Amino acid sequence: MDKNNVQQITFGGGCFWCVESCFNMLKGVESAISGYSGGHKDNPTYEEVCTGETGHAEVVQITYDSSIISYEQLMDVFFFLHDPTQLNRQGNDIGTQYRSVIYYKDQMEKAKAEEAIQKSKESGRWNGEYVTELTQFEKFWPAEQYHQGYYNENPTQPYCSAVVGPKIQKFKKYFGELGMLETDSQ
């Protein structure tokens, strides 16, 4: 990875297990790390975030090579993986920690995020009003180690087999056909 092209983006689109596992399959993504952002508690734990009282969202911080995959392509994946019209929830996962949110670092990144939201709206993929928050990035707290690569380590866990697995299969089919996955054998 060319260090001159390394960028980071942080966003939340529901349970981080779903989001992280898919982004780690993309060409040009060096890492997708599950964590927490947007709240008022330093070093939050999963249990604390689940209460909804920390203000944090479950997020994924993605480090990528912008010469291989663009911000816009990452946004396309983001809006594919979650429903941006569901306020503080994704499916049966309910609470502010599951909100749709994009954390931007500067005004240029904010403008790109606004363009991505508009592009997604115009695609007609999701019906309803978009509730995706645009929030100034402040701090990212990595989740506990057992959350990293959770699906890969626990594919038969009930939530993984019922929710994460089907989402990954749909993702692989669509983005594999676009040639965006790391290998064709995944």
Side-chain angles (χ1 to χ4, degrees), residues 120-175:
S120 182
K121 286 179 181 178
E122 291 169 0
S123 77
R125 176 172 174 75
W126 302 106
N127 293 322
E129 182 179 337
Y130 276 52
V131 294
T132 303
E133 296 176 13
L134 285 176
T135 303
Q136 176 75 45
F137 177 82
E138 291 183 17
K139 181 75 177 163
F140 171 77
W141 304 97
E144 296 82 350
Q145 188 57 42
Y146 73 90
H147 287 295
Q148 310 306 328
Y150 190 86
Y151 176 79
N152 291 339
E153 298 296 322
N154 303 280
T156 60
Q157 187 262 9
Y159 183 89
C160 288
S161 59
V163 178
V164 184
K167 185 176 282 202
I168 289 172
Q169 291 309 310
K170 186 175 165 184
F171 165 80
K172 283 180 175 181
K173 181 177 182 201
Y174 185 77
F175 288 96

Side-chain angles (χ1 to χ4, degrees), residues 10 38 99-105 109-110 132-138:
T10 304
R99 66 188 178 268
S100 175
V101 59
I102 301 168
Y103 293 96
Y104 62 89
K105 293 190 174 102
E109 205 171 83
K110 181 180 181 185
T132 303
E133 296 176 13
L134 285 176
T135 303
Q136 176 75 45
F137 177 82
E138 291 183 17

Side-chain angles (χ1 to χ4, degrees), residues 14-169:
C15 173
F16 48 34
W17 297 343
C18 297
V19 178
E20 176 235 333
S21 58
C22 292
F23 276 97
N24 272 321
M25 294 179 201
L26 292 171
K27 290 179 186 174
V29 170
E30 180 179 298
S31 67
I33 300 171
S34 293
Y36 315 108
S37 197
H40 52 79
K41 172 133 183 25
D42 289 351
N43 297 304
T45 66
Y46 180 70
E47 290 75 19
E48 291 169 331
V49 171
C50 285
T51 68
E53 295 177 13
T54 66
H56 286 292
E58 286 193 15
V59 299
V60 175
Q61 186 168 76
I62 297 163
T63 302
Y64 67 100
D65 184 331
S66 62
S67 70
I68 299 171
I69 189 166
S70 69
Y71 180 93
E72 292 77 14
Q73 289 172 308
L74 293 170
M75 285 289 107
D76 287 345
V77 173
F78 172 67
F79 285 113
F80 179 88
L81 291 176
H82 84 292
D83 182 345
T85 68
Q86 292 190 343
L87 182 62
N88 298 328
R89 73 178 298 160
Q90 285 299 303
N92 291 327
D93 294 330
I94 300 171
T96 57
Q97 69 270 28
Y98 299 114
R99 66 188 178 268
S100 175
V101 59
I102 301 168
Y103 293 96
Y104 62 89
K105 293 190 174 102
D106 55 37
Q107 290 305 306
M108 185 169 62
E109 205 171 83
K110 181 180 181 185
K112 285 181 173 182
E114 289 169 339
E115 289 173 18
I117 291 169
Q118 188 59 38
K119 179 181 173 189
S120 182
K121 286 179 181 178
E122 291 169 0
S123 77
R125 176 172 174 75
W126 302 106
N127 293 322
E129 182 179 337
Y130 276 52
V131 294
T132 303
E133 296 176 13
L134 285 176
T135 303
Q136 176 75 45
F137 177 82
E138 291 183 17
K139 181 75 177 163
F140 171 77
W141 304 97
E144 296 82 350
Q145 188 57 42
Y146 73 90
H147 287 295
Q148 310 306 328
Y150 190 86
Y151 176 79
N152 291 339
E153 298 296 322
N154 303 280
T156 60
Q157 187 262 9
Y159 183 89
C160 288
S161 59
V163 178
V164 184
K167 185 176 282 202
I168 289 172
Q169 291 309 310

